[in-house]
Amino acid sequence: MASIPRSQALDVDSILHQLTEEFEVSPDRIRTIIKQFNEEMEKGLDHEGATVPMIPSFVTGRPTGTEIGRYLALDLGGTNLRVCEFELKGKGKGYSVHQQKYVVSDQLKTGEMRHLCDFIADCVDNFISERGADHLEEALQLGFTFSFPVLQTDINRGTLMHWTKGFNCSGAINKDVVVMLQDAFLRKNINVHIAAIVNDTVGTLMAHTYLHPETTIGVILGTGTNACYYEKLAGIKKWKSEKKFEDMVVNMEWGAFDNERRVLPLTLYDNKLDRESINPRQQIFEKMISGMYLGEIVRNAMLNLVDQWMLFDGQSSSELNRQWGFETAYMSTIIADDSPALASTQHVLQDILMIPVTTTIDDRKIVKHICELVALRAARLSAAGIGAVLSHTGDINRPSVVAIDGSVYEFLPNFETNMITTLSELFGHSIEGRLKLSLAKDGSGFGAAIVAMVAHKAALAAAASS
Ligand code: BGC
């Protein structure tokens, strides 16, 4: 049987051009996105059940830098589970930290919540015995960074709304996750009290504010994406409890923005990813921005070209055919590859992805272009989210600092520059003088320890006065 001839219909420049058009997010589109974002934020602040839920975090006010003491922090929701012990030393002196990482297996991520809690409890137990803190009389106070959408009812109470980022444990939705984990500590006689549950964005904001009080927004651009910011009491219209604060940090859960698909420029590659994910039609914004998904979008775009004989002479490999087979980390290597023959790109394609033909320079150019476009689109959409928050608070016209953590922001080449370019395109160049995007590396654990400390002291003071 004669083989199908390689399509001659498109030369490499046409392919590159076509891809550029598919992944483009024009300034007009970004303006529409920001407008829609602002409407969704208002809905979330007004009532429960909105797509962008705008969750009050029960964290009020800013840390003062005078916080002192020894606190544990637990960080679940990224690649690893981290257990940390912080010694807060007071103003100007910062803190010291001991920490240990534990791998959470896929089986635990998708098994029963009770098993996950038992695993976390074992890790905490192991950590505190190694630190020699397992025989203390008083309970150790812990800040629990749990980076999923939790509808909080207090500083250390909250029910899980739904899972994200590949977690899917049974028996957790609509349950209080603090109660579940505290029960696991009890079952194993671990003398630890969960003083606060904190989203990673909130932890990041707190940690950065501790050193830079002018920080106004905390953003995660990592495995998942989300943001939080200080909202005025009057702005949180749905807040019906005691009104004894000026402003409170609101965890936006912006990953769910536009689940209705009104304004985001979804391509067929995004739709394929979404349909095959464990949470179809959820976290649509997150799926266009965060590290868990970007590589998969690139993979889908590559396979589409392979199937049209426009890439790798129509050949794929079992590695490239496998869902999640193209990691977002490869994008960093490929985007950073400026060698004339695109040697690192070739290495990824031939030695890691085992593409069965020798790739041509055109193949490598196309792959690099896809990686750059997917990363650029993510940076522009992230900038749109930040622009929407700054417009909402009015900080767009004032000096402000945005604390950002996460592998996408830290490791994808040019990500920050592309975000800043997008923001100046929208709000004028002068924004570059007012706005500082600042890497807040691993801040969420420290931030959780600060929140635990404030919550613990408040609980002691309340007990003393009653
Ligand atoms: C979660 C957020 C979290 C973000 C970044 C999202 O999937 O819903 O709670 O802040 O990931 O980790």
Side-chain angles (χ1 to χ4, degrees):
M1 207 166 62
S3 63
I4 306 166
R6 179 180 172 140
S7 165
Q8 297 297 321
L10 287 179
D11 61 24
V12 64
D13 287 337
S14 317
I15 297 173
L16 298 180
H17 180 73
Q18 189 176 310
L19 287 163
T20 305
E21 285 196 334
E22 281 179 298
F23 285 107
E24 196 197 350
V25 197
S26 69
D28 274 351
R29 177 67 78 117
I30 295 193
R31 281 191 195 96
T32 310
I33 291 171
I34 291 184
K35 189 164 170 279
Q36 186 72 24
F37 229 114
N38 285 141
E39 284 171 21
E40 298 297 326
M41 287 173 73
E42 291 298 347
K43 285 186 203 158
L45 289 166
D46 184 73
H47 55 261
E48 300 299 348
T51 304
V52 180
M54 308 293 287
I55 304 167
S57 69
F58 290 77
V59 173
T60 55
R62 287 160 170 78
T64 57
T66 50
E67 294 78 4
I68 303 177
R70 193 174 176 206
Y71 291 88
L72 291 179
L74 190 63
D75 195 341
L76 181 78
T79 328
N80 296 301
L81 170 73
R82 274 195 308 156
V83 187
C84 318
E85 183 193 49
F86 287 95
E87 174 94 49
L88 310 184
K89 296 183 175 167
K91 212 169 191 95
K93 299 201 192 96
Y95 63 86
S96 61
V97 59
H98 289 94
Q99 59 168 315
Q100 183 71 47
K101 283 187 184 169
Y102 302 87
V103 175
V104 186
S105 67
D106 285 345
Q107 209 181 351
L108 280 169
K109 285 184 185 169
T110 53
E112 281 176 41
M113 182 60 173
R114 192 185 161 96
H115 294 161
L116 180 64
C117 289
D118 281 339
F119 168 77
I120 299 173
D122 285 338
C123 295
V124 171
D125 197 17
N126 164 280
F127 179 82
I128 56 179
S129 7
E130 281 194 5
R131 298 285 311 135
D134 49 344
H135 299 303
L136 299 178
E137 289 237 321
E138 255 184 50
L140 290 162
Q141 301 296 320
L142 177 138
F144 182 19
T145 308
F146 184 72
S147 308
F148 300 96
V150 168
L151 198 57
Q152 282 191 236
T153 49
D154 205 339
I155 190 70
N156 65 349
R157 286 284 170 274
T159 54
L160 178 66
M161 298 165 70
H162 51 85
W163 289 108
T164 59
K165 298 176 287 197
F167 277 72
N168 202 13
C169 294
S170 58
I173 309 286
N174 295 329
K175 300 264 174 62
D176 191 319
V177 280
V178 177
V179 171
M180 295 186 88
L181 183 59
Q182 190 72 65
D183 281 351
F185 289 158
L186 267 177
R187 280 198 292 279
K188 291 173 188 278
N189 276 322
I190 301 170
N191 197 12
V192 168
H193 172 249
I194 306 171
I197 181 163
V198 184
N199 186 264
D200 53 355
T201 55
V202 180
T204 301
L205 177 62
M206 286 298 113
H208 208 264
T209 312
Y210 187 79
L211 297 172
H212 309 278
E214 65 284 16
T215 315
T216 49
I217 309 181
V219 178
I220 301 288
L221 295 166
T223 308
T225 186
N226 189 13
C228 71
Y229 70 101
Y230 284 99
E231 179 63 66
K232 297 252 166 300
L233 168 62
I236 314 176
K237 303 197 184 66
K238 65 184 173 186
W239 183 264
K240 300 285 179 265
S241 314
E242 272 192 323
K243 300 190 170 167
K244 278 197 190 150
F245 58 91
E246 262 178 45
D247 49 17
M248 183 182 278
V249 177
V250 167
N251 165 19
M252 297 175 67
E253 287 298 334
W254 79 10
F257 169 68
D258 206 30
N259 279 350
E260 300 83 0
R261 298 157 170 260
R262 292 198 185 105
V263 292
L264 289 174
L266 291 154
T267 62
L268 62 101
Y269 321 115
D270 299 294
N271 288 326
K272 185 164 187 298
L273 176 151
D274 181 46
R275 199 167 284 124
E276 292 168 358
S277 70
I278 58 173
N279 55 349
R281 303 198 80 84
Q282 283 183 34
Q283 300 293 106
I284 295 296
F285 190 57
E286 173 162 272
K287 284 173 179 160
M288 299 177 85
I289 289 183
S290 74
M292 168 141 187
Y293 304 102
L294 295 185
E296 182 68 359
I297 302 172
V298 172
R299 190 183 74 93
N300 286 343
M302 283 165 68
L303 286 179
N304 182 50
L305 293 176
V306 167
D307 290 346
Q308 297 175 76
W309 293 71
M310 292 177 190
L311 194 64
F312 312 146
D313 208 15
Q315 308 279 316
S316 184
S317 64
S318 49
E319 282 75 6
L320 188 61
N321 286 344
R322 188 170 48 81
Q323 192 189 20
W324 313 119
F326 188 94
E327 293 178 16
T328 300
Y330 304 155
M331 292 171 68
S332 300
T333 311
I334 293 174
I335 295 172
D337 184 4
D338 285 329
S339 65
L342 298 179
S344 309
T345 307
Q346 182 177 25
H347 167 69
V348 171
L349 296 174
Q350 313 247 185
D351 304 334
I352 303 180
L353 294 171
M354 312 302 281
I355 300 300
V357 293
T358 307
T359 60
T360 63
I361 184 74
D362 283 352
D363 286 335
R364 289 172 235 146
K365 272 191 198 158
I366 291 172
V367 171
K368 183 169 187 213
H369 193 59
I370 299 174
C371 292
E372 285 169 343
L373 289 172
V374 171
L376 173 65
R377 191 185 66 165
R380 288 176 71 72
L381 292 175
S382 311
I386 291 174
V389 181
L390 291 171
S391 315
H392 172 86
T393 57
D395 285 332
I396 199 80
N397 299 312
R398 292 188 282 260
S400 63
V401 177
V402 181
I404 312 181
D405 195 9
S407 48
V408 164
Y409 178 72
E410 191 179 356
F411 299 123
L412 278 185
N414 314 323
F415 203 85
E416 184 188 281
T417 314
N418 287 333
M419 285 173 80
I420 292 175
T421 310
T422 306
L423 285 164
S424 17
E425 196 177 282
L426 295 168
F427 300 105
H429 287 300
S430 61
I431 194 162
E432 291 183 34
R434 294 192 299 275
L435 178 67
K436 186 166 180 310
L437 306 184
S438 177
L439 177 67
K441 204 168 157 47
D442 286 343
S444 62
F446 176 50
I450 297 175
V451 177
M453 194 229 75
V454 174
H456 178 52
K457 299 249 155 99
L460 289 179
S465 70
S466 66

